[in-house]
Amino acid sequence: MFDLDEENTIPAWLGSSLLLIAGTLSFFLYKQDAVENKKCWLGISILLVFLSMDEASMVHERMEILAVSIVAIIFFISGGFSYLKFLFRLNRNVMHCIIFAAIFFVLGSVFVDSLNSPYIQKYGRDNIAYRCLATIEEGFEFTGIFLFLQGLIKQLGIIRRHG
Protein backbone atom coordinates (compact mmCIF):
# COMPACT_ATOMS: atom_id res chain seq x y z
CA MET A 1 0.00 0.00 0.00
CA PHE A 2 2.93 2.38 0.67
CA ASP A 3 5.42 0.86 -1.80
CA LEU A 4 7.04 3.68 -3.76
CA ASP A 5 7.57 1.49 -6.80
CA GLU A 6 4.18 -0.10 -7.28
CA GLU A 7 0.93 0.84 -8.97
CA ASN A 8 -2.26 1.61 -7.06
CA THR A 9 -0.48 2.77 -3.93
CA ILE A 10 -0.77 5.89 -1.79
CA PRO A 11 2.55 7.35 -3.10
CA ALA A 12 1.43 6.84 -6.73
CA TRP A 13 -1.92 8.47 -5.97
CA LEU A 14 -0.19 11.34 -4.15
CA GLY A 15 2.24 11.96 -7.03
CA SER A 16 -0.58 11.96 -9.57
CA SER A 17 -2.70 14.27 -7.41
CA LEU A 18 0.14 16.74 -6.86
CA LEU A 19 0.85 16.87 -10.59
CA LEU A 20 -2.84 17.53 -11.23
CA ILE A 21 -2.86 20.31 -8.62
CA ALA A 22 0.23 21.84 -10.24
CA GLY A 23 -1.48 21.62 -13.63
CA THR A 24 -4.56 23.33 -12.22
CA LEU A 25 -2.51 26.12 -10.61
CA SER A 26 -0.65 26.58 -13.91
CA PHE A 27 -4.01 26.94 -15.62
CA PHE A 28 -5.00 29.63 -13.09
CA LEU A 29 -1.77 31.43 -13.96
CA TYR A 30 -2.67 31.10 -17.65
CA LYS A 31 -5.93 32.88 -16.91
CA GLN A 32 -4.42 35.61 -14.70
CA ASP A 33 -0.82 36.33 -15.77
CA ALA A 34 0.44 38.84 -18.31
CA VAL A 35 -0.39 38.24 -21.97
CA GLU A 36 3.20 37.34 -22.89
CA ASN A 37 3.17 34.49 -20.34
CA LYS A 38 -0.21 32.95 -21.18
CA LYS A 39 0.93 30.42 -23.80
CA CYS A 40 3.73 29.19 -21.57
CA TRP A 41 1.46 28.67 -18.56
CA LEU A 42 -1.05 26.85 -20.77
CA GLY A 43 1.69 24.58 -22.15
CA ILE A 44 2.93 23.84 -18.64
CA SER A 45 -0.62 23.14 -17.49
CA ILE A 46 -1.23 20.68 -20.32
CA LEU A 47 2.10 18.93 -19.68
CA LEU A 48 1.40 18.57 -15.96
CA VAL A 49 -2.11 17.19 -16.51
CA PHE A 50 -0.64 14.71 -19.01
CA LEU A 51 2.06 13.69 -16.48
CA SER A 52 -0.64 13.30 -13.82
CA MET A 53 -2.65 10.98 -16.05
CA ASP A 54 0.49 9.03 -16.94
CA GLU A 55 1.43 8.68 -13.27
CA ALA A 56 -2.08 7.48 -12.41
CA SER A 57 -2.28 5.02 -15.30
CA MET A 58 1.42 4.00 -15.18
CA VAL A 59 1.60 3.99 -18.99
CA HIS A 60 5.30 4.88 -18.97
CA GLU A 61 6.03 1.88 -16.73
CA ARG A 62 4.91 -0.43 -19.52
CA MET A 63 7.10 1.17 -22.17
CA GLU A 64 10.74 0.57 -23.05
CA ILE A 65 12.75 2.67 -20.57
CA LEU A 66 15.43 3.71 -23.08
CA ALA A 67 12.83 5.07 -25.51
CA VAL A 68 11.02 6.94 -22.74
CA SER A 69 14.31 8.36 -21.44
CA ILE A 70 15.43 9.58 -24.86
CA VAL A 71 12.08 11.23 -25.61
CA ALA A 72 12.02 12.82 -22.13
CA ILE A 73 15.54 14.21 -22.48
CA ILE A 74 14.84 15.65 -25.95
CA PHE A 75 11.58 17.16 -24.70
CA PHE A 76 13.26 18.59 -21.58
CA ILE A 77 16.12 20.20 -23.52
CA SER A 78 14.02 21.58 -26.37
CA GLY A 79 11.27 22.70 -23.99
CA GLY A 80 13.83 24.30 -21.71
CA PHE A 81 15.28 26.37 -24.53
CA SER A 82 11.88 27.41 -25.84
CA TYR A 83 10.86 28.59 -22.36
CA LEU A 84 14.00 30.63 -21.58
CA LYS A 85 12.42 34.02 -22.36
CA PHE A 86 9.43 33.07 -20.24
CA LEU A 87 11.61 32.02 -17.31
CA PHE A 88 13.61 35.26 -17.39
CA ARG A 89 10.39 37.31 -17.30
CA LEU A 90 9.47 35.69 -13.98
CA ASN A 91 10.47 36.84 -10.52
CA ARG A 92 13.92 35.38 -9.67
CA ASN A 93 12.59 33.28 -6.78
CA VAL A 94 9.86 31.81 -8.99
CA MET A 95 12.33 31.19 -11.81
CA HIS A 96 14.72 29.37 -9.46
CA CYS A 97 11.91 27.21 -8.07
CA ILE A 98 10.85 26.19 -11.57
CA ILE A 99 14.37 25.48 -12.81
CA PHE A 100 15.30 23.40 -9.76
CA ALA A 101 11.93 21.66 -9.89
CA ALA A 102 12.56 20.60 -13.48
CA ILE A 103 16.09 19.43 -12.67
CA PHE A 104 14.98 17.33 -9.70
CA PHE A 105 12.00 15.86 -11.52
CA VAL A 106 14.03 14.91 -14.60
CA LEU A 107 16.87 13.51 -12.48
CA GLY A 108 14.40 11.21 -10.76
CA SER A 109 12.05 10.31 -13.56
CA VAL A 110 14.65 9.88 -16.29
CA PHE A 111 18.15 9.33 -14.96
CA VAL A 112 17.57 7.38 -11.75
CA ASP A 113 14.69 5.48 -13.36
CA SER A 114 16.97 4.46 -16.24
CA LEU A 115 19.33 2.89 -13.67
CA ASN A 116 16.49 0.80 -12.25
CA SER A 117 15.82 -1.35 -15.34
CA PRO A 118 19.34 -2.78 -15.75
CA TYR A 119 19.52 -3.30 -12.00
CA ILE A 120 16.21 -5.18 -11.96
CA GLN A 121 17.30 -7.39 -14.85
CA LYS A 122 20.51 -8.34 -13.06
CA TYR A 123 19.46 -8.51 -9.39
CA GLY A 124 15.66 -8.33 -9.25
CA ARG A 125 13.46 -6.07 -7.14
CA ASP A 126 13.55 -7.88 -3.83
CA ASN A 127 16.66 -6.35 -2.26
CA ILE A 128 17.65 -3.29 -0.29
CA ALA A 129 19.75 -1.70 -3.06
CA TYR A 130 16.80 -1.68 -5.45
CA ARG A 131 14.52 -0.26 -2.74
CA CYS A 132 17.08 2.52 -2.21
CA LEU A 133 17.14 3.30 -5.95
CA ALA A 134 13.34 3.42 -6.07
CA THR A 135 13.26 5.67 -3.00
CA ILE A 136 15.85 8.03 -4.52
CA GLU A 137 13.89 8.15 -7.79
CA GLU A 138 10.60 8.98 -6.12
CA GLY A 139 12.30 11.38 -3.71
CA PHE A 140 13.71 13.39 -6.61
CA GLU A 141 10.34 13.41 -8.37
CA PHE A 142 8.44 14.54 -5.25
CA THR A 143 11.07 17.20 -4.52
CA GLY A 144 10.63 18.50 -8.06
CA ILE A 145 6.85 18.60 -7.74
CA PHE A 146 6.98 20.37 -4.36
CA LEU A 147 9.49 22.95 -5.65
CA PHE A 148 7.30 23.60 -8.66
CA LEU A 149 4.22 24.02 -6.47
CA GLN A 150 6.18 26.47 -4.33
CA GLY A 151 7.06 28.49 -7.45
CA LEU A 152 3.45 28.46 -8.65
CA ILE A 153 2.17 29.67 -5.29
CA LYS A 154 4.78 32.44 -5.23
CA GLN A 155 3.77 33.52 -8.75
CA LEU A 156 0.09 33.54 -7.83
CA GLY A 157 0.93 35.74 -4.83
CA ILE A 158 2.89 38.14 -7.02
CA ILE A 159 0.00 38.44 -9.48
CA ARG A 160 -2.51 39.00 -6.66
CA ARG A 161 -0.37 41.79 -5.15
CA HIS A 162 0.15 43.56 -8.49
CA GLY A 163 -3.06 42.81 -10.27
Side-chain angles (χ1 to χ4, degrees):
M1 179 176 242
F2 290 99
D3 191 332
L4 288 172
D5 200 43
E6 292 295 324
E7 299 178 32
N8 300 321
T9 62
I10 290 173
W13 173 83
L14 178 62
S16 177
S17 297
L18 290 172
L19 286 165
L20 185 59
I21 290 167
T24 303
L25 290 176
S26 298
F27 187 76
F28 288 152
L29 284 165
Y30 158 72
K31 298 297 259 177
Q32 296 178 5
D33 207 348
V35 172
E36 63 269 12
N37 291 340
K38 286 191 177 291
K39 285 183 185 177
C40 293
W41 286 124
L42 183 60
I44 290 169
S45 177
I46 292 167
L47 173 66
L48 289 168
V49 170
F50 171 78
L51 289 173
S52 172
M53 291 186 308
D54 177 63
E55 185 71 21
S57 65
M58 300 289 192
V59 169
H60 71 278
E61 301 292 339
R62 295 179 189 93
M63 298 169 70
E64 178 62 39
I65 191 66
L66 181 61
V68 172
S69 296
I70 290 170
V71 169
I73 290 168
I74 290 169
F75 186 79
F76 178 71
I77 291 170
S78 64
F81 283 118
S82 67
Y83 274 65
L84 278 177
K85 280 182 167 179
F86 164 73
L87 286 171
F88 285 117
R89 284 193 300 263
L90 297 174
N91 170 284
R92 290 266 184 241
N93 290 331
V94 174
M95 178 182 72
H96 291 146
C97 282
I98 291 173
I99 290 170
F100 284 113
I103 290 168
F104 272 97
F105 192 82
V106 170
L107 277 174
S109 62
V110 176
F111 292 108
V112 178
D113 192 39
S114 66
L115 298 174
N116 287 351
S117 291
Y119 189 89
I120 292 168
Q121 290 174 353
K122 191 168 185 174
Y123 302 107
R125 292 176 185 257
D126 196 21
N127 58 69
I128 191 71
Y130 175 72
R131 292 291 171 200
C132 287
L133 273 175
T135 301
I136 291 167
E137 173 195 344
E138 296 300 324
F140 274 114
E141 288 178 16
F142 275 107
T143 300
I145 295 168
F146 284 123
L147 283 170
F148 194 77
L149 284 167
Q150 181 180 5
L152 293 174
I153 291 166
K154 285 180 181 186
Q155 183 66 15
L156 284 165
I158 290 166
I159 290 171
R160 297 250 185 233
R161 282 192 301 272
H162 293 87

